[in-house]
Structures are given as structure tokens and as C-alpha cells.
């Protein structure tokens, strides 16, 4: 067994503290190296880290809450989109109907104009017939007058009476001549008058027909006009609806754009917060690096000699950041019974048995904020044991044999812990020792 002297020293020092400290964090002071010189500066940095971590937690909450706002805005926006689609469909319908109505109205208008032309053509015809009738009547009148004049010219001297004319005949021959002449004149006149009469009747008939046609056309025109008016009424009703739909459409469209803008603003806010979070994380990493460097410097001054070979580092070798050393700790205001090992992304990483042995404690129940949380203790024989605290998961059970380097647990932050780290102890006869007296320092 190596390091007998040191072990005896610890045993002697710890006698005063007693067995009650077995599960305590606070044990004998270890002044084998001095980190007090740097501890004030380290504590300041730890406080800064804590502040930044709290701020990042707030930021995460804000981002989640903003995500919720986005969801709600998107739901509202979706509703407006549905409304917009529905009203747009209706609007398209109205526009189609209006288009066809306008075509119908234009067709009716063309019909009315055609009828107007036909009516005015009929009116021209009627006027022609009227003037023809007038002319024929005048001709008739003229004929009658001319016949009278002839008779008059023949007999104007005495009687205008035909019987007087006949009675004045000098003899039968004269009578015959006179009678024949009269008959001729009368017959000629009668024929002419008969012709005129027929012509007038004919013309009157045609005129009557034309007037009937005109009346028909006018009633057709009235029908078309009232159809057109009905269409125009429908059109103006539809135009009102179309305007309302158009108004709604632009309202919904505006609401939709407003939500887009709102969502955009929220996303921008989230991005700003993400940036801040990233910057904070970088700052945290920088502080941790500084702490690590200060601790390493302190270690260098301690002139520690580490035992080779027998004990192994209980974590993957990228995790070498010591956040609290064994011994007196300012921040805790007491003694620290082991070393706290941390590093970026350490949570969940395996914890290895530093030496082969038997699991004697595998505690999976714990009280938040107290003690070691979930932890494992391995008995290595000859009074040696190791403890692995604040685990997130335990892989072994009591009585189990474990090999050196076997994963026994996962790094966590259970119990009295402010962030993921491994609290590692080496005990001799249940008295905590400085682990750096046993594990190899490899960095
Ligand atoms: Zn600790």
C-alpha cells in the first residue's frame, strides 16, 4: 500500500471530526495546495456565470412564450385566410354574374335600338301612305270638280240641272247627242273615281297594317325595356353585394397582413433573444475558461505529486475542469469532501469506477437541494472506497462487482448542486481524502 504516511495523517486529523461527517460535505481542511488566493476572483466569475445562466433561463422562457404567441397569431391568421378564401370565391361569383348581366343588358339595348329603327321605318312608311292617301283624295276631289266644270261649261248658260239640259234638247237627236255625251263623261268620271276609291282603300289597308306592325313593335320594345330595367335592378343589387364582398375581402386581407407583420415582429424578437442567449453562453464559456486557468495556475503552485497507475480519472478525459477543490472552500464556507469536476456539455456523460470493487451504495432516491442526490459508493478493499455524487442516472446496484473504468452512473445535478458536475470522493476507512492524492493528473 502506498501513501501510508499521508493516510495516517488524514486519519489522525479526522479523528476529531468523527463518523458523523461520513455523509457530510465538510471535512478536514486540506492545505496541500492553496486556491484561496484565486478563490475570490473565481467566486466573482461564478456569480457572473450564475447571473448569465439565470438570464438565459429567462430568455428561454421568453422565447417559449413568444412561440406560443406565434402559434396563436398563426391560428387567427389561418381563420382570416379561410374567411378571405370564402369571400374571394363569392366575389368571383358576383363578378361572373355581373359580367353576364352586363352582356345581357347590352344585348337588350341592341334589341331596343333595332326595334327603334324598325319602328321609325314603319313610321316613315305610314307617313308615306298618309301622304299618298292625301294625294289620292285630292285627285278625287279634283276629278269631281273637273266633272262639274265640264257639265257647267256645257250647260252653264241656263240650268245646271241635268234634266233641264236634257229637256232643252232641240230634238231627239240633240237629246241623244247630249245624253250620250253626258253618259260618256259620267262613265269616264265614274271609272276614274272607282279607281281612286280602290286605290284609297288599298292604301288605307296597307297603312292600317303598318300601324298594327308599329304597335306590335312598340309593345315588343316595351317588353325589352322592362326586361332591361329588371336586369339593371338585379345588377345594381348585385353591385351592392359585390362592393360589400370587396370591402370584406380587403378587411380580411389587411387582417391577414397584420398578423403576418405581428408574427414577423415576434420572430425578430425571438432572434434577438437567441443572439443574446448565444452571447451569454459565450461569456459563460469564457468565464469558465478563466476559472479553469486560475485553478490550473493554483494547482501548479501546489507542487502536488499524483500517484500513477492505480486509480483512474472517473470521467472522459475532456472533462478536467475543477470547479471546487478538496478542502476549505470560501464559497461554501466550509470544507469540501471531494472534488467537483465539470465541463461544457458534461450532463449525462458516463462516470467510471476509478478502481475495481463492489458497489456498496447505489442511492437512487434523494431530496432536491440536499446532499449528494443520486450517488454510488464502491468499496475497493483495504479500507478504500470512492463516492460519485449528483448523478442523473445510476447504472449499478448494491453488491455488484465492477471493473476499473466501468460506467457506473451518468453525470447530473441532483441533490445540493447548482449545475451538472461530478462530486468525486476517495475515502480511506470512510474518511474523505484529497482525490488528487490518488487519481493521476493527466493534463
Ligand atoms: Zn462536491
Amino acid at each position: 500500500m502506498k501513501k501510508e504516511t499521508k493516510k495516517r495523517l488524514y486519519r489522525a486529523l479526522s479523528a476529531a471530526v468523527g463518523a458523523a461527517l461520513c455523509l457530510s460535505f465538510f471535512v478536514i481542511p486540506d492545505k496541500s495546495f492553496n486556491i484561496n488566493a484565486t478563490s475570490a476572483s473565481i467566486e466573482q466569475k461564478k456569480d457572473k456565470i450564475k447571473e448569465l445562466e439565470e438570464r438565459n433561463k429567462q430568455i428561454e422562457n421568453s422565447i417559449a412564450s413568444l412561440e406560443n404567441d406565434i402559434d396563436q397569431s398563426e391560428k387567427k391568421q389561418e381563420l382570416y385566410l379561410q374567411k378571405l378564401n370564402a369571400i374571394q370565391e363569392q366575389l368571383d361569383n358576383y363578378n361572373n354574374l355581373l359580367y353576364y348581366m352586363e352582356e345581357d343588358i347590352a344585348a337588350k339595348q341592341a334589341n331596343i335600338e333595332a326595334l327603334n329603327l324598325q319602328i321609325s321605318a314603319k313610321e316613315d312608311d305610314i307617313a308615306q301612305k298618309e301622304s299618298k292617301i292625301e294625294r289620292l283624295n285630292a285627285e278625287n276631289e279634283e276629278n269631281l270638280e273637273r266633272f262639274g266644270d265640264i257639265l257647267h261649261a256645257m250647260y252653264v248658260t241656263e240650268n245646271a240641272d241635268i234634266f233641264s239640259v236634257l229637256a232643252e234638247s232641240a230634238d231627239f237627236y240633240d237629246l241623244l247627242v247630249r245624253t250620250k255625251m253626258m253618259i260618256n263623261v259620267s262613265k269616264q268620271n265614274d271609272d276614274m273615281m272607282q279607281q281612286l276609291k280602290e286605290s284609297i282603300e288599298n292604301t288605307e289597308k296597307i297603312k292600317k297594317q303598318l300601324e298594327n306592325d308599329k304597335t306590335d313593335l312598340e309593345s315588343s320594345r316595351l317588353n325589352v325595356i322592362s326586361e332591361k330595367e329588371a336586369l339593371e335592378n338585379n345588377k345594381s343589387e348585385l353591385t351592392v353585394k359585390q362592393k360589400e364582398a370587396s370591402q370584406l375581402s380587403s378587411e380580411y386581407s389587411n387582417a391577414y397582413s397584420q398578423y403576418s407583420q405581428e408574427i414577423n415582429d415576434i420572430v425578430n424578437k425571438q432572434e434577438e433573444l437567441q443572439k443574446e442567449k448565444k452571447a451569454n453562453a459565450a461569456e459563460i464559456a469564457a468565464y469558465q475558461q478563466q476559472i479553469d486557468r486560475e485553478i490550473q495556475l493554483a494547482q501548479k503552485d501546489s507542487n502536488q505529486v499524483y500517484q500513477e497507475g492505480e486509480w483512474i480519472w472517473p470521467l472522459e478525459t475532456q472533462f478536467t475542469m475543477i470547479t471546487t477543490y478538496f478542502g476549505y472552500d470560501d464559497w461554501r464556507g466550509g470544507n469540501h469532501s471531494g472534488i467537483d469536476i465539470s465541463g461544457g456539455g458534461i450532463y449525462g456523460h458516463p462516470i467510471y469506477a476509478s478502481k475495481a470493487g463492489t458497489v456498496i451504495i447505489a442511492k437512487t432516491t434523494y431530496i432536491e437541494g440536499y446532499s449528494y442526490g443520486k450517488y454510488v459508493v464502491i468499496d475497493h478493499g483495504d479500507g478504500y472506497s470512492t463516492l460519485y455524487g449528483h448523478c442523473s442516472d445510476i447504472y449499478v446496484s448494491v453488491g455488484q462487482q465492477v471493473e476499473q473504468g466501468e460506467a457506473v452512473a451518468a453525470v447530473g445535478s441532483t441533490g445540493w448542486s447548482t449545475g451538472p458536475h461530478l462530486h468525486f470522493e476517495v475515502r480511506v476507512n470512510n474518511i474523505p481524502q484529497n482525490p488528487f492524492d490518488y487519481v493521476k493528473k493527466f493534463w
Side-chain angles (χ1 to χ4, degrees), residues 192-383:
M192 198 183 278
M193 283 180 75
Q194 190 56 38
Q195 266 181 355
L196 280 170
K197 199 186 158 202
E198 275 170 17
S199 185
I200 288 168
E201 274 171 5
N202 239 355
T203 310
E204 288 281 8
K205 223 161 122 187
I206 292 168
K207 186 192 159 197
K208 186 81 194 155
Q209 184 57 48
L210 285 170
E211 277 169 348
N212 283 346
D213 289 353
K214 187 190 162 195
T215 307
D216 285 351
L217 285 169
E218 275 170 344
S219 90
S220 289
R221 184 175 65 173
L222 281 179
N223 278 345
V224 177
I225 285 172
S226 78
E227 281 168 10
K228 188 190 161 199
E229 275 171 2
L231 277 172
E232 274 166 348
N233 282 342
N234 284 347
K235 187 192 157 189
S236 66
E237 277 170 28
L238 203 59
T239 304
V240 170
K241 283 185 187 166
Q242 183 217 34
K243 272 187 186 147
E244 284 168 358
S246 176
Q247 176 69 24
L248 280 177
S249 170
S250 72
E251 275 173 29
Y252 296 158
S253 174
N254 284 344
Y256 183 86
S257 316
Q258 261 180 347
Y259 280 114
S260 291
Q261 185 56 47
E262 208 174 290
I263 290 165
N264 226 25
D265 290 347
I266 297 172
V267 168
N268 286 343
K269 238 184 252 171
Q270 278 184 327
E271 277 168 5
E272 271 168 38
L273 287 170
Q274 290 284 16
K275 265 185 214 160
E276 191 192 335
K277 193 183 154 195
K278 212 172 159 188
N280 288 345
E283 216 177 323
I284 289 169
Y287 278 127
Q288 276 175 341
Q289 235 171 20
Q290 285 171 25
I291 290 170
D292 200 24
R293 202 160 46 234
E294 285 177 35
I295 287 167
Q296 281 181 34
L297 283 172
Q299 277 180 322
K300 235 181 230 168
D301 297 340
S302 73
N303 294 319
Q304 271 298 304
V305 179
Y306 294 99
Q307 196 174 23
E308 295 254 341
E310 208 177 338
W311 304 75
I312 66 158
W313 189 245
L315 289 165
E316 291 155 282
T317 53
Q318 79 246 39
F319 300 117
T320 58
M321 189 171 85
I322 310 302
T323 52
T324 311
Y325 280 79
F326 179 81
Y328 185 77
D329 184 52
D330 259 350
W331 185 63
R332 291 164 185 268
N335 286 307
H336 188 225
S337 57
I339 55 172
D340 287 347
I341 312 162
S342 189
I346 196 173
Y347 188 90
H349 276 262
I351 297 166
Y352 303 121
S354 189
K355 259 186 101 175
T358 309
V359 177
I360 55 168
I361 296 175
K363 192 155 169 52
T364 54
T365 58
Y366 66 97
I367 301 165
E368 193 64 66
Y370 288 93
S371 191
Y372 298 125
K374 293 184 182 179
Y375 70 100
V376 173
V377 177
I378 301 169
D379 180 14
H380 305 294
D382 291 327

